[in-house]
Amino acid sequence: MAMPLFAATEPAFPGGEEAMNKYISENLQYPAMAKENGVEGIVNVAFTVKSDGSIGSIKIVRMIDPDLEQEAIRLVKSMPKWTPADDGGNPVDATATVAIPFIL
Protein backbone atom coordinates (compact mmCIF):
# COMPACT_ATOMS: atom_id res chain seq x y z
CA MET A 1 0.00 0.00 0.00
CA ALA A 2 1.37 3.43 -0.98
CA MET A 3 1.97 6.05 1.70
CA PRO A 4 -0.40 9.02 1.40
CA LEU A 5 1.22 12.32 0.40
CA PHE A 6 -0.82 14.23 2.96
CA ALA A 7 -1.45 13.85 6.67
CA ALA A 8 -4.67 12.09 7.70
CA THR A 9 -5.46 14.96 10.08
CA GLU A 10 -4.26 18.54 9.83
CA PRO A 11 -2.41 20.32 12.63
CA ALA A 12 -4.74 22.25 14.95
CA PHE A 13 -4.51 25.14 17.39
CA PRO A 14 -5.48 23.91 20.90
CA GLY A 15 -9.20 24.60 21.27
CA GLY A 16 -9.77 25.04 17.55
CA GLU A 17 -10.20 28.05 15.28
CA GLU A 18 -12.32 30.03 17.73
CA ALA A 19 -9.63 29.71 20.41
CA MET A 20 -6.97 30.76 17.88
CA ASN A 21 -8.95 33.85 16.85
CA LYS A 22 -9.35 34.77 20.53
CA TYR A 23 -5.61 34.23 21.12
CA ILE A 24 -4.75 36.49 18.16
CA SER A 25 -7.13 39.28 19.22
CA GLU A 26 -5.89 39.17 22.85
CA ASN A 27 -2.16 39.01 22.05
CA LEU A 28 -1.78 41.13 18.90
CA GLN A 29 0.21 44.30 19.51
CA TYR A 30 -0.49 46.72 16.67
CA PRO A 31 2.85 48.29 15.67
CA ALA A 32 2.82 52.01 16.58
CA MET A 33 4.28 53.18 13.25
CA ALA A 34 1.76 51.15 11.23
CA LYS A 35 -1.07 52.50 13.42
CA GLU A 36 0.20 56.07 12.96
CA ASN A 37 0.36 55.62 9.18
CA GLY A 38 -3.05 53.91 9.02
CA VAL A 39 -1.59 50.66 7.63
CA GLU A 40 -4.12 47.81 7.67
CA GLY A 41 -4.33 44.39 6.08
CA ILE A 42 -4.21 40.67 6.54
CA VAL A 43 -0.81 39.05 6.95
CA ASN A 44 -0.80 35.39 5.90
CA VAL A 45 1.78 33.34 7.76
CA ALA A 46 2.79 29.77 6.84
CA PHE A 47 4.75 27.63 9.28
CA THR A 48 5.61 24.07 10.15
CA VAL A 49 3.85 22.41 13.06
CA LYS A 50 6.41 19.82 14.12
CA SER A 51 5.45 16.34 15.33
CA ASP A 52 5.86 17.55 18.95
CA GLY A 53 3.44 20.47 18.36
CA SER A 54 6.14 23.15 18.33
CA ILE A 55 6.30 25.76 15.57
CA GLY A 56 9.16 26.18 13.11
CA SER A 57 10.02 27.54 9.64
CA ILE A 58 7.82 30.64 9.79
CA LYS A 59 7.32 32.41 6.44
CA ILE A 60 5.22 35.39 5.39
CA VAL A 61 3.01 34.36 2.48
CA ARG A 62 1.52 37.75 1.68
CA MET A 63 3.57 40.86 2.42
CA ILE A 64 1.94 44.15 3.41
CA ASP A 65 4.18 46.11 5.76
CA PRO A 66 7.45 45.12 7.49
CA ASP A 67 6.14 46.17 10.94
CA LEU A 68 2.95 44.13 10.55
CA GLU A 69 4.93 41.14 9.30
CA GLN A 70 7.33 41.34 12.27
CA GLU A 71 4.37 41.41 14.68
CA ALA A 72 2.68 38.49 12.87
CA ILE A 73 5.87 36.42 13.21
CA ARG A 74 6.17 37.36 16.91
CA LEU A 75 2.56 36.36 17.47
CA VAL A 76 2.94 32.96 15.77
CA LYS A 77 6.18 32.27 17.69
CA SER A 78 4.38 33.00 20.98
CA MET A 79 1.49 30.59 20.29
CA PRO A 80 1.06 27.58 22.56
CA LYS A 81 1.98 24.16 21.15
CA TRP A 82 -0.40 22.96 18.46
CA THR A 83 -1.91 19.50 18.13
CA PRO A 84 0.34 18.01 15.44
CA ALA A 85 -0.91 16.48 12.21
CA ASP A 86 -1.52 12.77 12.42
CA ASP A 87 -0.79 10.10 9.84
CA GLY A 88 -2.03 6.65 10.76
CA GLY A 89 -1.77 7.31 14.49
CA ASN A 90 1.70 8.86 14.28
CA PRO A 91 2.29 12.60 14.78
CA VAL A 92 4.03 14.12 11.75
CA ASP A 93 5.40 17.51 10.70
CA ALA A 94 2.94 19.49 8.56
CA THR A 95 2.43 23.01 7.25
CA ALA A 96 -0.23 25.31 8.64
CA THR A 97 -1.28 28.77 7.45
CA VAL A 98 -2.84 31.49 9.56
CA ALA A 99 -4.33 34.80 8.40
CA ILE A 100 -3.64 37.55 10.96
CA PRO A 101 -5.89 40.59 10.53
CA PHE A 102 -4.54 44.06 11.32
CA ILE A 103 -7.61 46.32 11.41
CA LEU A 104 -7.65 49.79 12.95
Side-chain angles (χ1 to χ4, degrees):
M1 190 166 154
M3 286 293 291
L5 296 174
F6 55 89
T9 61
E10 297 296 313
F13 187 86
E17 198 168 332
E18 199 175 302
M20 181 173 61
N21 292 336
K22 183 175 189 244
Y23 180 87
I24 289 170
S25 69
E26 289 176 355
N27 293 281
L28 183 110
Q29 297 167 5
Y30 216 106
M33 207 61 183
K35 195 182 262 188
E36 220 173 272
N37 295 326
V39 179
E40 291 185 304
I42 295 172
V43 176
N44 292 312
V45 185
F47 52 92
T48 302
V49 176
K50 297 180 184 171
S51 60
D52 67 357
S54 64
I55 292 170
S57 304
I58 302 169
K59 293 184 188 89
I60 299 297
V61 178
R62 191 165 142 235
M63 303 208 171
I64 295 174
D65 175 85
D67 291 339
L68 298 188
E69 288 148 22
Q70 202 170 8
E71 172 57 13
I73 289 169
R74 185 203 66 79
L75 193 61
V76 168
K77 279 184 178 172
S78 73
M79 286 180 170
K81 282 193 171 191
W82 282 47
T83 303
D86 182 281
D87 183 14
N90 300 313
V92 293
D93 292 4
T95 302
T97 306
V98 173
I100 300 177
F102 288 87
I103 300 158
L104 291 169

